[in-house]
């Protein structure tokens, strides 16, 4: 058996593959879009959370500054009261 033109067979095969890929690929007629709608209450909650987070970050920065400068003091009465409250609520 003698093969004279090998290119012809290769191109034929590639064309066949291209036709198959085109016919089996899904057709996109419309672009799919997703919509997210957040309710007014959801926006209020989000803004409140961001506000609280900002206040928390400010408080942390304030405490860090106090610790660095040595002006931070611990109120031992508050700590003692929290310990008593914790143990009295857990023993009931």
């Amino acid at each position: 058996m003698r093969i004279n033109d090998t290119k012809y067979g290769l191109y034929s095969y590639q064309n066949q593959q291209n036709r198959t890929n085109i016919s089996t690929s899904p057709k996109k007629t419309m672009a799919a879009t997703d919509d997210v709608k957040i309710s007014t209450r959801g926006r209020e909650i989000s803004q409140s959370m961001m506000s609280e987070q900002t206040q928390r970050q400010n408080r942390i920065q304030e405490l860090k500054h106090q610790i660095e400068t040595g002006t931070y003091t611990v109120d031992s009465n508050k700590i003692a009261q929290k310990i008593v409250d914790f143990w009295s609520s857990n023993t009931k």
Side-chain angles (χ1 to χ4, degrees):
M1 178 176 177
R2 183 173 172 190
I3 301 173
N4 291 332
D5 190 9
T6 57
K7 292 181 183 179
Y8 175 75
L10 180 63
Y11 290 128
S12 173
Y13 175 75
Q14 287 176 342
N15 289 337
Q16 174 85 19
Q17 284 297 101
N18 290 339
R19 278 187 254 131
T20 304
N21 289 340
I22 291 170
S23 64
T24 59
S25 65
K27 302 213 181 218
K28 296 181 179 178
T29 56
M30 295 181 65
T33 59
D34 293 329
D35 285 336
V36 176
K37 294 182 181 180
I38 300 174
S39 67
T40 305
R41 181 70 179 141
R43 283 191 214 113
E44 290 173 358
I45 292 170
S46 176
Q47 289 173 352
S48 173
M49 289 175 62
M50 291 183 75
S51 175
E52 289 175 11
Q53 186 177 14
T54 303
Q55 291 172 354
R56 185 181 187 99
Q57 288 296 325
N58 291 340
R59 177 70 177 143
I60 290 170
Q61 290 302 321
E62 180 183 330
L63 290 172
K64 283 182 179 181
H65 178 69
Q66 288 178 357
I67 291 169
E68 288 173 358
T69 59
T71 58
Y72 179 73
T73 58
V74 178
D75 187 0
S76 58
N77 290 330
K78 283 185 179 179
I79 293 174
Q81 187 60 48
K82 291 287 185 178
I83 291 172
V84 169
D85 291 343
F86 173 79
W87 286 111
S88 63
S89 67
N90 286 335
T91 57
K92 293 181 181 178

